[in-house]
């Protein structure tokens, strides 16, 4: 075995891991990767015919046609602690799963090169940052990791001589021959290990993202008292008052995080407001010295959904793909003769010229009846290419969070926005939320499912413990806890069209929320059983054409929908068994009573007392409001 590369490794634990991995995988050559290797690796990938140089200097790649998204049913968590077994994490005992997967991987790099990617999540000068070493046989994975994380010397220097790093083994596998059951994406969080075989795509293969910064980080965060979440982070600056406030938002995959964080304000609001992006997918949140909740984005790039991106919806995302950004497009439409790419929604009319290939490489025209770009096609670009990147992105402490938003795709029933009365109710709302699934996962699309905090695919331990951990963090924040909101940009009218224009116009909704968080009397609301919903005139609608019917449909509380929804929520909470946190139990019953009446409350209580084997304490039975909960909004201005 020969170790090459532009940087040298001295850390004995890392060297040991590299030697053992190469031996197991049978790799002939080993190359240590540094960020500075990017141009050469790109060139090699182009020469190998796997990457195409576009006319504007960016790059185009095609994945294997069956390898286009994360696969949740092949994603596993293995630990030595059976109580980590959750409802959705496909938990297996380490001794059962890990040897099996390692055996599958044995010899799979025979005759191949093993790339070693030292990666750093978070800034170099922060004690909160984390280092991992990912070995892989895929140059495509390497060039994506170079964009998404801080790779090479910077990571090794941060690690020093410590053995405290994540050990990651990635083998693509023979994608043509593999059956679905041969794919394994495994987190072993109590050993800080990641094993992945059967994919070179996105969250399955780029270890810095979902594996390191969500599954592994949230496992460690629980012990250390912080949160690792599937959230964007953004700043909203009011140029008139000088106020700069930050928010975090958890929406499921392909449900609008990148677009919100990179929004351009609508023309009528441009002179007053400026939007700063800090992160588009992952947030690490912890209590700061001032008692508030601070958020930072560990990533170094964006792996964003391409379809739907155009000058109207997202000029900043387009800017990230400009000439000179070295963006990689994966699985969009491509015209070899001109070196151009196209995707659904890029231009109003699809291209009329000949010579286009679809994402599979087959000839394509707008009349083919198929997509040019896969709905989960992605661009990979370094975050420093974002024109609205906040200077605070580099700040190791992050930014203080005024408000947290949950949301997702729902065609009806969930209003445009509602405020939860307090932080614990916010946790309850995130824990019980339901959404429609998207193309970011290789399973049925547009199906309803519960997706608590947009974290269902990224859980490493039990959901009940996770919710309790959230409650603990909020309780510790006390009066400093952020305000909580639920948003939905995806309500549709009878004609099947979106009722709300979305994208940059979403700023109007965020501004209302920030005013609420600051208890501004102007942000008037109607209090409903599911939270406070804006009075139409309290939204800043300057320059926006929207009918009053659409607006009232967006701001409507629909009791019938919520009666059904509460039954679903009871059923979901029942699946937590004895690990249902008492606080969620209590809040749920309170909401059920408001939505569906006292008989429904008793019924829900019976179900949950049985499932959780808990009796609600007499104090929480009799009181309408729990004593620890405080409403941030004085009744006078509700
Ligand atoms: P992941 O990277 O998978 O976590 O996705 P994400 O949450 O960052 O979603 P993203 O912003 O990439 O948006 C996904 C899709 O939703 C794109 O096709 C967008 O065009 C569309 N989208 C985003 N925001 C809005 C919105 O406000 N309204 C509507 N109608 N569509 C939106
Ligand atoms: C998501 O699915 O939430 C993504 C894309 O951000 S992936 O990296 O594939 O997880
Ligand atoms: Mn995501």
């Amino acid at each position: 075995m020969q170790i090459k590369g532009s940087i040298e490794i001295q850390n004995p634990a890392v060297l040991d891991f590299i030697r053992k991995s190469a031996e197991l995988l049978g790799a002939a050559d080993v190359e240590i990767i540094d960020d500075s290797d990017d141009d050469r690796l790109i060139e090699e990938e182009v020469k190998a015919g796997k990457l195409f140089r576009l006319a504007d200097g960016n790059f185009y790649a095609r994945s294997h046609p069956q390898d286009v998204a994360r696969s949740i049913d092949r994603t596993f968590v293995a630990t030595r602690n059976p109580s980590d077994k959750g409802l959705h994490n496909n938990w297996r005992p380490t001794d059962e799963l890990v040897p099996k997967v390692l055996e599958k991987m044995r010899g799979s790099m025979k005759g191949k090169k093993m790339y070693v990617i030292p990666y750093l999540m978070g800034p170099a000068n922060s004690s909160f940052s984390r280092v991992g070493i990912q070995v892989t046989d895929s140059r495509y994975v390497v060039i994506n990791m170079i964009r998404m994380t801080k790779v090479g010397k910077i990571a090794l220097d941060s690690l020093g001589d410590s053995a405290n790093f994540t050990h990651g083994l990635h083998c693509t596998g023979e994608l043509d021959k593999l059956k679905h059951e041969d794919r394994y994406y495994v987190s072993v969080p109590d050993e800080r290990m990641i094993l992945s075989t059967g994919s070179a795509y996105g969250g399955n293969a780029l270890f810095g993202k979902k594996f390191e910064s969500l599954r592994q980080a949230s496992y460690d965060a629980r012990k250390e008292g912080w949160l690792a979440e599937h959230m964007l982070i953004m700043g909203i600056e009011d140029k008139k008052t000088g106020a700069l406030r930050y928010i975090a938002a958890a929406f499921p995959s392909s449900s609008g995080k990148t677009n919100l964080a990179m929004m351009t304000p609508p023309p009528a609001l441009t002179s007053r407001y400026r939007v700063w992006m800090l992160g588009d997918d992952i947030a690490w949140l912890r209590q700061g010295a001032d008692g508030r909740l601070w958020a930072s984005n560990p990533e170094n790039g964006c792996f964003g959904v391409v379809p739907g991106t155009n000058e109207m919806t997202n000029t900043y995302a387009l800017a990230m793909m400009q000439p000179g950004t070295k963006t990689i497009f994966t699985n969009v439409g491509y015209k070899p003769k001109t070196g151009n790419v196209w995707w659904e929604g890029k231009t109003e009319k699809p291209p009329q010229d000949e010579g286009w290939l679809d994402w599979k490489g087959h000839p394509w025209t707008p009349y083919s009846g198929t997509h040019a770009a896969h709905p989960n096609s992605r661009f990979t670009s370094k975050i420093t290419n974002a024109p609205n990147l906040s200077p605070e992105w580099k700040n190791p402490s992050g930014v203080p969070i005024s408000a947290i938003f949950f949301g997702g795709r729902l065609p009806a029933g969930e209003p445009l926005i509602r405020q939860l009365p307090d932080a614990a109710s916010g946790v309850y709302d995130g824990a019980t939320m339901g959404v429609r699934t998207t193309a970011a996962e290789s399973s049925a699309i547009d199906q309803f499912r519960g997706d608590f905090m947009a974290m269902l695919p990224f859980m490493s331990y039990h959901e009940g413990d996770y919710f309790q951990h959230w409650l603990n963090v909020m309780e510790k924040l006390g009066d400093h806890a952020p305000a909580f909101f639920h948003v939905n940009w995806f309500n549709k009218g009878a004609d099947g069209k979106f009722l709300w224009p979305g994208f940059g116009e979403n700023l109007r909704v965020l501004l209302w929320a920030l005013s609420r968080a600051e208890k501004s009397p102007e942000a008037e609301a109607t209090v409903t059983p599911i939270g406070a919903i804006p009075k139409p005139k309290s939204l800043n609608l300057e320059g926006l054409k929207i009918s009053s019917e659409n607006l009232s449909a967006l701001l409507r509380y629909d009791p019938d929908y919520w009666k059904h929804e509460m039954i679903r929520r009871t059923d979901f909470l029942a699946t937590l068994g004895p690990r249902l946190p008492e606080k969620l139990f209590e809040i749920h019953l309170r909401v059920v009573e408001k939505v569906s009446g006292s008989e429904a409350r008793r019924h829900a209580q019976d179900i949950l007392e049985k499932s959780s084997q808990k009796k609600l304490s007499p104090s929480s039975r009799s009181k309408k409001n729990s004593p620890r909960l405080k409403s941030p909004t004085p009744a006078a201005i509700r």
Side-chain angles (χ1 to χ4, degrees):
M1 183 191 71
Q2 243 198 327
I3 302 186
K4 285 194 213 140
S6 48
I7 50 170
E8 227 180 283
I9 293 184
Q10 260 130 27
N11 181 312
V14 177
L15 281 174
D16 187 50
F17 171 60
I18 293 171
R19 276 196 205 100
K20 285 186 178 142
S21 304
E23 203 176 297
L24 173 86
L25 303 169
D29 293 316
V30 176
E31 183 180 332
I32 316 294
I33 298 298
D34 184 61
D35 179 83
S36 59
D37 295 318
D38 190 46
D39 286 342
R40 178 180 50 81
L41 292 164
I42 291 260
E43 201 49 51
E44 286 175 20
E45 193 73 347
V46 170
K47 278 213 180 102
K50 292 183 178 170
L51 194 70
F52 303 92
R53 200 179 287 279
L54 298 173
D56 65 2
N58 289 325
F59 304 98
Y60 169 59
R62 249 179 240 137
S63 75
H64 187 275
Q66 258 92 55
D67 189 27
V68 293
R70 275 185 298 97
S71 169
I72 185 169
D73 63 319
R74 302 308 302 161
T75 301
F76 299 87
V77 170
T79 68
R80 298 196 182 277
N81 182 358
S83 78
D84 289 332
K85 179 177 166 57
L87 303 171
H88 300 95
N89 66 353
N90 280 332
W91 181 87
R92 301 283 189 278
T94 299
D95 290 339
E96 179 191 310
L97 186 65
V98 170
K100 187 165 125 188
V101 177
L102 288 175
E103 220 29 61
K104 267 193 189 295
M105 289 180 150
R106 183 180 295 282
S108 66
M109 287 193 196
K110 206 158 261 160
K112 287 187 172 182
K113 183 183 271 182
M114 183 177 96
Y115 298 97
V116 179
I117 315 170
Y119 61 86
L120 170 71
M121 305 313 294
N125 50 348
S126 164
S127 59
F128 302 142
S129 293
R130 310 166 62 85
V131 174
I133 310 287
Q134 172 173 5
V135 307
T136 178
D137 56 1
S138 164
R139 202 164 33 210
Y140 171 80
V141 165
V142 176
I143 57 180
N144 275 274
M145 280 290 284
I146 285 178
R147 282 153 184 73
M148 296 305 300
T149 71
K150 300 181 186 77
V151 163
K153 188 172 182 308
I154 187 170
L156 291 170
D157 287 350
S158 292
L159 184 65
D161 53 12
S162 161
N164 193 13
F165 60 91
T166 301
H167 305 61
L169 265 65
H170 172 250
C171 311
T172 309
E174 290 183 69
L175 297 179
D176 273 331
K177 295 189 194 150
L178 275 185
K179 290 201 276 298
H180 189 59
E181 318 78 86
D182 292 328
R183 302 166 202 268
Y184 283 94
Y185 317 123
V186 188
S187 286
V188 194
D190 52 354
E191 292 181 24
R192 274 197 87 169
M193 179 161 74
I194 301 165
L195 306 175
S196 165
T197 177
S199 172
Y201 198 84
N204 299 332
L206 310 177
F207 285 3
K209 204 173 189 37
K210 301 307 175 19
F211 273 118
E212 176 74 50
S213 298
L214 287 180
R215 295 191 193 95
Q216 180 69 51
S218 65
Y219 195 84
D220 300 335
R222 180 190 171 199
K223 295 191 183 112
E224 297 163 8
W226 53 285
L227 297 164
E229 299 298 322
H230 193 198
M231 287 179 174
L232 67 89
I233 312 168
M234 64 195 277
I236 297 168
E237 183 180 348
D238 182 337
K239 292 188 258 182
K240 194 167 136 196
T241 63
L244 175 52
R245 287 155 305 179
Y246 297 95
I247 64 169
F251 312 149
S253 304
S254 210
S255 301
K257 288 184 300 301
T258 303
N259 277 274
L260 196 68
M262 302 203 69
M263 69 147 69
T264 31
L269 303 185
T270 318
S271 61
R272 176 148 179 197
Y273 297 100
R274 187 162 172 176
V275 173
W276 297 98
M277 196 256 263
L278 287 105
D280 77 326
D281 201 53
I282 297 178
W284 289 349
L285 304 127
R286 59 183 90 229
Q287 189 168 23
D290 63 356
R292 290 187 292 174
L293 187 65
W294 290 66
S296 65
N297 167 23
E299 296 195 281
N300 196 51
C302 296
F303 184 64
V305 175
V306 182
T309 309
N310 61 53
E311 263 141 44
M312 297 299 290
T313 56
N314 202 322
T315 47
Y316 287 159
L318 271 191
M320 286 190 90
M321 314 167 183
Q322 286 311 295
T325 56
K326 297 188 187 176
T327 296
I328 301 169
F329 292 93
T330 302
N331 289 345
V332 295
Y334 172 56
K335 182 165 171 175
K337 202 161 166 204
T338 57
N340 286 321
V341 286
W342 189 82
W343 53 83
E344 276 67 23
K346 183 183 188 191
T347 48
E348 207 175 321
K349 274 199 186 144
Q352 300 298 312
D353 50 332
E354 289 179 0
W356 283 94
L357 304 177
D358 68 8
W359 64 273
K360 292 182 181 171
H362 300 150
W364 178 88
T365 77
Y367 312 102
S368 301
T370 52
H371 284 133
H374 187 278
N376 192 40
S377 51
R378 299 265 167 174
F379 70 92
T380 322
S381 189
K382 284 200 178 180
I383 200 166
T384 43
N385 288 325
N388 68 331
L389 182 65
S390 162
E392 295 300 312
W393 169 72
K394 277 194 179 150
N395 186 341
S397 319
V399 290
I401 295 297
S402 299
I404 287 182
F405 296 74
F406 293 115
R409 287 172 185 267
L410 283 175
E414 180 63 71
L416 182 61
I417 184 167
R418 56 189 168 92
Q419 182 183 17
L420 286 310
D422 50 62
S425 299
V427 175
Y428 163 76
D429 180 70
T432 51
M433 78 190 214
V435 297
R436 293 270 174 168
T437 55
T438 67
E441 273 169 24
S442 53
S443 52
I445 296 168
D446 201 23
Q447 301 294 303
F448 184 89
R449 81 165 181 209
D451 187 354
F452 44 90
M453 278 104 173
M455 278 290 280
L456 181 145
F458 314 118
M459 286 309 295
S460 46
Y461 62 100
H462 192 280
E463 287 79 352
D465 297 344
Y466 171 64
F467 301 148
Q468 187 59 59
H469 177 57
W470 255 93
L471 290 164
N472 296 347
V473 171
M474 289 306 135
E475 192 168 292
K476 217 164 150 234
L477 289 165
D479 288 345
H480 290 300
F484 278 79
F485 300 87
H486 197 111
V487 291
N488 180 21
W489 318 134
F490 301 96
N491 274 297
K492 287 183 176 171
D495 57 2
K497 291 194 176 137
F498 291 117
L499 292 173
W500 177 249
F503 300 101
E505 306 292 348
N506 294 335
L507 179 59
R508 303 173 190 279
V509 179
L510 303 183
L511 291 173
W512 179 85
L514 284 172
S515 300
R516 289 291 290 182
E518 283 172 1
K519 305 178 177 73
S520 157
E522 275 156 40
E524 280 185 283
T526 307
V527 176
T528 78
I530 55 165
I533 300 177
K535 297 224 184 324
K537 65 172 169 37
S538 69
L539 286 174
N540 180 347
L541 299 176
E542 192 192 335
L544 176 68
K545 281 199 196 97
I546 185 165
S547 70
S548 56
E549 296 84 64
N550 280 10
L551 198 59
S552 53
L554 286 161
L555 301 177
R556 189 166 94 88
Y557 164 60
D558 176 349
D560 291 336
Y561 175 88
W562 283 94
K563 276 179 193 143
H564 273 99
E565 176 61 5
M566 294 322 288
I567 295 170
R568 186 193 68 79
R569 290 184 182 200
T570 303
D571 290 346
F572 169 65
L573 293 174
T575 64
L576 297 174
R579 280 193 261 184
L580 168 66
E582 193 163 326
K583 177 120 289 177
L584 295 193
F585 190 169
E586 235 176 86
I587 295 173
H588 180 64
L589 292 188
R590 217 160 60 214
V591 183
V592 171
E593 177 151 1
K594 285 187 195 152
V595 171
S596 315
S598 50
E599 197 170 317
R601 177 197 156 112
R602 267 195 302 280
H603 186 58
Q605 182 163 350
D606 283 349
I607 293 174
L608 293 179
E609 284 190 346
K610 261 193 211 108
S611 62
S612 68
Q613 297 152 33
K614 273 188 202 118
K615 286 265 179 225
L616 260 199
S617 60
S619 67
S620 32
R621 269 168 192 273
S622 55
K623 279 193 194 126
K624 276 233 159 117
N625 279 305
S626 133
R628 271 205 306 254
L629 294 171
K630 287 222 293 196
S631 167
T633 314
I637 59 163
R638 267 185 221 151

